[in-house]
Amino acid sequence: MQGISGSDMNSTPMGERATICLFGRCNVGKSSLINAITSQNIAIVSEIRGTTTDPVKKSMELLPFGPVVLVDTPGIDDESSLGELRVQKSMEYIDQADLILFVVDGGSEISKAEFEFIEKIKEKKHIIVGNKCDSIEDNKKECKADIYVSATQNINIDKLKALMAEILNKGKKEKTILGDMMSEGDTVILVTPIDDSAPKGRLILPQQQVIREIIDRHGIAVVVQVGQLKATLEKIKDVALVVCDSQVFKEADELVPKDIPLTSFSIIFANYKGALNSLYNAARVIDSLEAGDKILISEGCTHHRQCEDIGSVKIPRLVRKFTGLQGENDLKFELSSGGEFPKDLSVYKLIIHCGACMLNENQMKSRMKYANDATIPMTNYGISIAYMNGILTRAMKALEGKF
């Protein structure tokens, strides 16, 4: 069955799942459809107009494609004052969607609002789903859908899932985080500081993902804190690569011999998300910062900020020291986190983004597009820290040919 695998459902990070978004008018059956696709009663189904008020997400395995997350959104025709805000918020999912299911009533003509929405998504991978096919005759199907289903009667749901997998698989490229930076059997040292801001009892997601990839590629992952790096390098003579947390870049650069490639988790994830070139080129804007400039520090996840948090404390402190603009009002820093990303970027001189491990590639690229459209340079934690420490050239050498 193409459904949810209990062991796999939570094993794939959200940023690694293809995002499938369901859009449509109120009461066309979006919530019923997401329940039918996942074989679970996830979304509330009601005849009351506007039951879905906020996006509802559910992870599943879509065979033979792989892990996906489905997003049920409010009706696009909710015209109440609060409904308009909900619709506006849900429209942000268009940018991050790998596939859009646009659900229509199979027995009704396409409305003006539906036609306008179809025009809006025509460049995206999408399927027009004619729902409620059980209540109409074949010769009375008023809309031209790609597939007709009945979410409540489970008609053609398996065919829809097969079509979804087929479309997602087209042009799918298998990517690895480390790419050609390592080969089978290589030893890779990962420098992962454990300080007050580190989560208790576990490693952060980028570190987990890189360790898993090294193991999958039959390599050897050696995980150390920066205090043990020197002794580790003395014991292990054949090291293919050292990857460090951005905040210990300077210390790692001093300890790692120059003939061993060194980079950071943030930089390799910028490459993995397809954003390396633009983020790299934006770093030099730090040189031109002036008193009064506003800088956005943006993170793709939400977490409890500790006293020495990298985004809110360490990077602003390093930027102030590097530029010499250390007065309280010389540079202004603002923070965004999670799904929030400011609509008006024109007020910023520079955006410094995290490694985006919690965002999918579409989300990261859409944020970069917003920045580019506003002509605001955007770099990331690892690239900016390496640049300000004078080691960006070395940090990027491991990814030679990628930028």
Side-chain angles (χ1 to χ4, degrees), residues 5-234:
S5 166
S7 61
D8 291 335
M9 184 173 66
N10 295 314
S11 62
T12 303
M14 197 65 72
E16 297 298 301
R17 293 179 176 273
T19 300
I20 303 171
C21 297
L22 286 77
F23 289 93
R25 292 186 291 108
C26 295
N27 293 117
V28 294
K30 299 186 302 298
S31 298
S32 296
L33 185 58
I34 199 171
N35 288 345
I37 291 171
T38 60
S39 303
Q40 289 190 354
N41 291 324
I42 297 158
I44 297 173
V45 177
S46 170
E47 293 299 320
I48 300 173
R49 182 181 174 86
T51 301
T52 302
T53 58
D54 294 294
V56 176
K57 298 182 180 181
K58 185 61 182 179
S59 298
M60 67 173 286
E61 292 291 312
L62 179 67
L63 302 178
F65 172 75
V68 301
V69 58
L70 289 101
V71 183
D72 183 19
T73 64
I76 63 171
D77 57 340
D78 189 339
E79 296 177 349
S80 65
S81 57
L82 185 56
E84 288 180 7
L85 293 174
R86 290 169 180 156
V87 171
Q88 184 179 5
K89 183 69 178 174
S90 67
M91 288 300 174
E92 295 176 6
Y93 282 90
I94 293 175
D95 289 327
Q96 63 182 268
D98 295 286
L99 175 64
I100 292 173
L101 302 186
F102 187 52
V103 187
V104 298
D105 186 330
S108 301
E109 292 186 9
I110 295 287
S111 68
K112 180 182 177 182
E114 288 173 320
F115 179 79
E116 290 174 349
F117 186 85
I118 291 171
E119 284 294 302
K120 186 178 295 187
I121 63 169
K122 65 182 181 182
E123 301 301 324
K124 299 278 296 184
K125 289 183 178 179
H126 68 274
I127 301 172
I128 300 176
V129 183
N131 193 24
K132 307 180 182 180
C133 73
D134 56 310
S135 61
I136 54 177
E137 299 176 15
D138 285 345
N139 61 353
K140 292 185 179 179
K141 290 174 179 174
E142 298 292 337
C143 66
K144 291 183 179 179
D146 297 310
I147 186 171
Y148 291 89
V149 305
S150 171
T152 57
Q153 300 302 313
N154 203 40
I155 298 173
N156 288 340
I157 298 302
D158 283 341
K159 288 184 178 179
L160 172 61
K161 290 196 281 189
L163 179 60
M164 290 159 57
E166 179 186 343
I167 292 174
L168 285 170
N169 271 318
K170 285 180 180 177
K172 180 183 177 183
K173 297 178 181 178
E174 292 298 331
K175 296 174 63 177
T176 59
I177 299 170
L178 292 174
D180 55 9
M181 286 180 278
M182 72 161 287
S183 302
E184 185 172 325
D186 279 350
T187 297
V188 180
I189 296 178
L190 308 177
V191 187
T192 60
I194 305 298
D195 53 22
D196 289 341
S197 63
K200 300 299 180 184
R202 61 182 176 86
L203 297 174
I204 62 175
L205 182 59
Q207 296 163 358
Q208 295 177 42
Q209 288 181 270
V210 173
I211 291 171
R212 176 56 191 265
E213 179 171 309
I214 293 169
I215 294 171
D216 285 344
R217 295 174 66 175
H218 307 290
I220 301 168
V222 180
V223 185
V224 300
Q225 294 192 56
V226 70
Q228 287 72 53
L229 180 56
K230 181 179 179 181
T232 302
L233 288 165
E234 289 172 352

Side-chain angles (χ1 to χ4, degrees), residues 311-359:
S312 60
V313 177
K314 291 182 178 179
I315 288 180
R317 184 167 59 208
L318 182 58
V319 172
R320 288 190 171 107
K321 181 180 178 181
F322 180 80
T323 60
L325 301 170
Q326 301 197 52
E328 186 176 338
N329 297 317
D330 279 353
L331 292 174
K332 298 178 176 61
F333 292 87
E334 290 188 1
L335 300 172
S336 74
S337 60
E340 300 299 324
F341 195 67
K343 291 292 181 293
D344 182 12
L345 298 175
S346 63
V347 298
Y348 303 108
K349 180 67 177 290
L350 177 67
I351 301 167
I352 304 178
H353 205 286
C354 70
C357 64
M358 294 300 293
L359 304 180

